[in-house]
Amino acid sequence: MPGLIDMHVHFRRKPTDGDTAYSRMPDYRERNDDTGVLFVANGVTSVRMMHGHPIGDELTARSRGDWLGPTIYSTGPITDGNPPVHPFNRVVTQPADAAKLVAEDKAKGYIGIKVYENLSLSVYDAIVDAAATAQLDVVGHVPNEVGLAHVIAAHQASIEHADSFLYSLQRDSPSTAAWADRTWHDALQRVDLERLTTFADEIRRAGIWTCPTIIVGQFDAPDYERSPEMKYVPAAFRAALHEHWTPEPFEEQRAFALAVVRRLHERGAGLLLGSDTYLTVPGFSALQELGLFVRAGLTPYEALQTGTINAARALHKQDTLGTVDVEKRADLLLLQANPLADVANVRKLVGVTLRGRWLPQSELQNRLAAVAKSVAAP
């Protein structure tokens, strides 16, 4: 079968003053190499990186060579309003600046402009207009001031995360101020899924992809840190679980995400495979996401499409990726069992062909063992 394409990933970055996010690590180069192995050992041969930055740019260049990691397609920096959600986001407050930042991202070879939660409506519209002129996709979150209906009308190329729908599905249509005071539990209790039917139809007609990252909700699951795949991630990640964890209704969050995916699928809207690593374990979480798609009502074939031909089309790379075909890039998985019978059979690898390089399962397992040893070292 074709290699999998994870459409929402992040990589580690270099530490900087004032930014203590655990995604920044002194040994970021080694950890990013580990991440590459984790992806490939789980059959992920291409990824869409959702945050352009200099370290990511270096990785993107390496992924065109002999790096043992997936081929990377990167958006530009996370583009946010003031105050930014994260200190490392690119802040834009004036519509007049939109054309400049879009031109910068285009010149750097990024595949799209990533928009974020605190963008103003006027800046968002200016970015959409400038991106259309530059022939770059606009992808990302649903900014709070913009709202889902406007994002759909603007034909944003992809909507990231199921929780991007939560604000617009509230029965009482709260103001931004009221929304800020609500807990996850309160917001989930006020969801009107019938509103989603109209949104889903509009999303289908607009040709917008949704990358729901259902799996990222497990970051709040009390037992996630005891998952077997945790042996492949740094201690800093496991420590972050303790710091991040809140008594939020994990099962309610997952039920909401599954309901969103189910309704989008029922109405024929396009879905994409995405794991939101580094909030989840690279590679392993992409395979778990496939299982969640099936749980939401997709057939195994439809679930596999989200990480193959759907993803290739969303990247505008369907001529080179997404199916097994003559003259397409040799990113291929050889399996022991049919994934159309059970999507979990994607885990039963005989080996992976990565950009024409054959990697038998024995080598992949040796590489995984080396990662586990590396992250366990003091």
Side-chain angles (χ1 to χ4, degrees):
M1 62 167 282
L4 292 169
I5 306 169
D6 189 328
M7 291 291 283
H8 196 118
V9 312
H10 298 272
F11 287 89
R12 309 293 177 177
R13 291 166 293 136
K14 184 178 181 180
T16 59
D17 293 339
D19 182 0
T20 59
Y22 67 92
S23 58
R24 295 189 179 275
M25 294 183 172
D27 57 349
Y28 63 93
R29 294 186 187 276
E30 292 85 352
R31 298 290 75 87
N32 283 336
D33 283 342
D34 291 346
T35 295
V37 170
L38 296 181
F39 277 127
V40 175
N42 284 281
V44 177
T45 55
S46 298
V47 298
R48 182 178 62 169
M49 182 167 63
M50 296 298 291
H51 178 192
H53 50 78
I55 303 306
D57 295 347
E58 292 177 13
L59 278 178
T60 299
R62 291 177 64 199
S63 78
R64 272 39 177 194
D66 59 0
W67 182 53
L68 188 60
T71 303
I72 299 171
Y73 302 92
S74 179
T75 73
I78 298 174
T79 306
D80 206 354
N82 192 29
V85 175
H86 305 296
F88 49 79
N89 289 0
R90 174 172 61 182
V91 174
V92 185
T93 59
Q94 300 300 319
D97 294 331
K100 178 182 177 182
L101 70 91
V102 168
E104 289 173 351
D105 286 2
K106 179 82 171 182
K108 290 182 178 179
Y110 293 129
I111 62 168
I113 312 300
K114 181 176 179 181
V115 295
Y116 220 64
E117 293 166 18
N118 286 343
L119 276 177
S120 68
L121 177 59
S122 60
V123 171
Y124 176 86
D125 284 343
I127 289 173
V128 169
D129 290 343
T133 300
Q135 295 185 313
L136 280 182
D137 285 341
V138 177
V139 299
H141 293 206
V142 174
N144 296 330
E145 188 176 312
V146 177
L148 183 59
H150 193 84
V151 160
I152 296 170
H155 288 233
Q156 183 169 308
S158 73
I159 297 171
E160 306 301 308
H161 314 303
D163 61 16
S164 286
F165 292 80
L166 186 58
Y167 174 83
S168 297
L169 296 179
Q170 298 293 288
R171 286 193 298 270
D172 49 356
S173 299
S175 66
T176 302
W179 167 251
D181 293 335
R182 289 190 173 173
T183 66
W184 265 91
H185 177 74
D186 291 339
L188 290 167
Q189 298 308 305
R190 291 177 167 88
V191 164
D192 179 5
L193 282 175
E194 289 310 307
R195 291 186 178 194
L196 182 55
T197 300
T198 299
F199 284 130
D201 288 343
E202 292 172 348
I203 287 170
R204 182 195 70 245
R205 287 192 290 267
I208 296 170
W209 299 100
T210 300
C211 188
T213 64
I214 311 166
I215 192 64
V216 77
Q218 74 178 7
F219 197 68
D220 279 319
D223 60 348
Y224 182 43
E225 62 183 297
R226 294 191 292 275
S227 301
E229 63 267 25
M230 284 295 161
K231 65 184 175 182
Y232 300 116
V233 298
F237 179 90
R238 297 191 294 273
L241 289 174
H242 290 286
E243 181 179 341
H244 178 276
W245 187 84
T246 58
E248 297 286 5
F250 163 66
E251 291 300 335
E252 289 183 2
Q253 292 179 48
R254 175 167 289 185
F256 171 73
L258 289 169
V260 168
V261 171
R262 185 175 298 111
R263 188 62 55 89
L264 289 170
H265 176 61
E266 290 171 350
R267 308 305 293 188
L271 295 165
L272 300 174
L273 176 68
S275 62
D276 205 6
T277 59
Y278 40 73
L279 295 178
T280 59
V281 181
F284 293 91
S285 52
L287 302 187
Q288 292 165 344
E289 185 80 354
L290 290 175
L292 289 169
F293 277 135
V294 172
R295 183 171 166 183
L298 281 69
T299 66
Y301 179 70
E302 291 166 336
L304 292 170
Q305 285 182 307
T306 69
T308 53
I309 189 58
N310 287 11
R313 288 171 178 154
L315 290 169
H316 310 293
K317 299 292 183 183
Q318 61 268 33
D319 290 341
T320 55
L321 297 174
T323 59
V324 180
D325 209 346
V326 175
E327 296 186 357
K328 290 197 174 184
R329 193 167 70 215
D331 289 341
L332 303 165
L333 311 184
L334 183 61
L335 306 177
Q336 299 174 15
N338 185 2
L340 302 183
D342 183 349
V343 78
N345 286 337
V346 176
R347 303 170 187 269
K348 299 179 180 179
L349 281 170
V350 175
V352 174
T353 299
L354 176 70
R355 298 186 292 275
R357 174 185 177 185
W358 170 244
L359 299 161
Q361 177 69 339
S362 58
E363 180 176 348
L364 295 173
Q365 289 302 310
N366 287 339
R367 298 275 188 171
L368 283 175
V371 170
K373 182 177 180 180
S374 173
V375 299

